[in-house]
Amino acid sequence: MEMTWNRASLLALALVVAACGGETDEPEARQAVETAGEVNVYSHRHYDVDERLFSRFTELTGIRVNVQTASADELITRLENEGADSPADILVTVDAGRLHRAQARGLLQSATSAVLEANVPENLREPDGHWFGLTQRARVIVYHNDRVSPDELSTYEDLADPRWRGRVLIRSSENIYNQSLLASMLAAHGDDVCTEWAAAVVANMAREPRGGDRDQIRAIAAGEGDVAVVNTYYFGRMQNGEDEADREIASQIGVFFPNQAGRGTHVNVSGAGIAAHAPNRANALRLIEFLTGAEAQSVYAEANFEYPVNPGVPAAEALAAWGDFKADGLSLARLGELNRDAVMILDRAGWR
């Protein structure tokens, strides 16, 4: 959903309304913008389901959702460059590490909401309300059904074992998903253990990292390796998508949830925060509350194979078929806080 809008036109409308009351100062201009019935979203997500939900929100509230999409880094840079003149009300991006990056640069403001506290568990939102999880994904181990038995699998840590030499497929260390996975391990084990683990995984790689998560799954089917670390929604989209070749590949692959006897499987979120200079703050909060509510959470789950953040909404049937699992309860705010240390470890290990 792409609509054209800019800060200048919104403020021009605000000033006309404010002038009718004899005042044109910035606070009243902002209030006039806020009552104009719009909310402006900078989004890193690029799925049809998001457009459907924004349209549904408009249908229910009359508030028009204006969306600008780009990569996370582009959106964060844009917010920085626009400063107080930014028209953005909400930043939506993927991975708690990126949300933390935006927060650390002063691009998000805190919000309190009894609705959000009920909809989003404490570990899936920033403690002071700078961002809230919208959807959840688990980072799992997938394996070839004919070459690996699930009895051989146990933990992320076990992928460092020499028996996996030449068998592990995983994407680049530049990828935020792997950085956050290692950050979660840092929270559990500390620097020394994680440094040894990263070096051992590099030694066990079937090839130099390349491509995305779906490319790792395809490489398993092609015989380039036996196991891979991927996000669940990528596998869900392959298994249930329209591409017949991807469905055939997925039929050869099993899903394993690591660390079930310990801290649980690493999970992460796509999430949203209210922009620091949001001109439509009340509408922004209302949209985030809607997206974490039962109706939107069910749509996310069924249409995009993501786990709900809302504990009252069940997983989609396709995901439930993989079985229940214990998730790591670590506060996802820690992933951003430990990101720099994780990147340094990956670099020292030669994980390219």
Side-chain angles (χ1 to χ4, degrees):
M1 179 186 296
E2 292 283 349
M3 297 184 186
T4 59
W5 45 271
N6 55 59
R7 172 72 166 170
S9 62
L10 290 175
L11 283 178
L13 172 64
L15 290 171
V16 170
V17 175
C20 293
E23 299 289 342
T24 59
D25 62 358
E26 179 66 10
E28 292 202 17
R30 283 189 178 278
Q31 183 176 358
V33 171
E34 188 155 321
T35 59
E38 295 184 320
V39 61
N40 305 319
V41 179
Y42 281 9
S43 181
H44 176 203
R45 287 174 59 94
H46 48 81
Y47 302 116
D48 292 342
V49 64
D50 295 65
E51 295 184 9
R52 288 170 50 193
L53 288 172
F54 292 149
S55 295
R56 176 60 173 160
F57 177 73
T58 299
E59 178 185 339
L60 291 171
T61 67
I63 299 169
R64 186 167 75 248
V65 182
N66 306 312
V67 184
Q68 293 289 314
T69 58
S71 73
D73 289 341
E74 288 171 336
L75 293 173
I76 288 172
T77 299
R78 181 171 178 176
L79 283 167
E80 287 183 309
N81 291 339
E82 291 172 339
D85 292 327
S86 177
D89 295 307
I90 296 175
L91 173 67
V92 176
T93 190
V94 175
D95 196 280
R98 289 194 179 108
L99 290 161
H100 175 85
R101 190 176 303 163
Q103 177 191 345
R105 296 182 185 185
L107 303 177
L108 303 177
Q109 60 175 283
S110 62
T112 57
S113 163
V115 171
L116 288 173
E117 289 178 5
N119 288 350
V120 185
E122 187 174 1
N123 67 305
L124 303 182
R125 50 184 161 92
E126 197 276 323
D128 295 321
H130 285 90
W131 52 261
F132 300 87
L134 298 179
T135 65
Q136 194 172 185
R137 61 281 304 273
R139 196 144 181 83
V140 297
I141 298 173
V142 294
Y143 60 93
H144 197 282
N145 290 322
D146 294 338
R147 300 195 299 271
V148 177
S149 166
D151 294 338
E152 299 177 70
L153 299 166
S154 58
T155 64
Y156 302 108
E157 290 82 352
D158 183 63
L159 293 178
D161 191 281
R163 75 178 184 281
W164 298 111
R165 187 65 52 89
R167 303 174 70 188
V168 176
L169 292 154
I170 193 166
R171 65 198 292 179
S172 167
S173 65
E174 294 180 359
N175 175 251
I176 191 71
Y177 304 148
N178 285 337
Q179 294 170 11
S180 289
L181 171 61
L182 186 57
S184 74
M185 296 177 69
L186 272 168
H189 301 303
D191 187 275
D192 290 345
V193 169
C194 290
T195 297
E196 292 180 10
W197 178 83
V201 169
V202 170
N204 286 348
M205 288 181 182
R207 64 179 187 185
E208 288 190 8
R210 63 177 182 270
D213 281 6
R214 279 174 281 203
D215 294 309
Q216 314 312 313
I217 296 168
R218 293 174 184 129
I220 291 177
E224 296 183 51
D226 294 334
V227 297
V229 180
V230 303
N231 281 353
T232 41
Y233 74 98
Y234 286 117
F235 183 71
R237 289 171 69 88
M238 291 181 70
Q239 189 180 54
N240 300 278
E242 296 180 358
D243 189 305
E244 184 178 350
D246 274 352
R247 292 199 307 272
E248 170 57 28
I249 287 169
S251 71
Q252 305 173 44
I253 307 298
V255 175
F256 183 84
F257 294 98
N259 295 75
Q260 292 302 283
R263 67 183 183 279
T265 296
H266 170 63
V267 296
N268 211 317
V269 293
S270 66
I274 298 178
H277 303 287
N280 304 290
R281 188 182 189 281
N283 290 347
L285 184 61
R286 194 171 176 184
L287 176 56
I288 297 174
E289 289 175 342
F290 167 75
L291 293 174
T292 59
E295 178 182 351
Q297 289 287 292
S298 295
V299 174
Y300 276 135
E302 294 293 339
N304 210 44
F305 308 104
E306 298 177 272
Y307 289 99
V309 295
N310 189 319
V313 178
E317 184 177 345
L319 277 65
W322 303 337
D324 294 331
F325 70 97
K326 174 184 175 182
D328 189 347
L330 177 72
S331 171
L332 297 192
R334 293 289 288 150
L335 305 183
E337 294 165 359
L338 293 170
N339 177 268
R340 184 172 181 273
D341 294 336
V343 170
M344 291 175 63
I345 288 173
L346 292 166
D347 286 346
R348 290 200 302 266
W351 189 320
R352 299 295 178 242

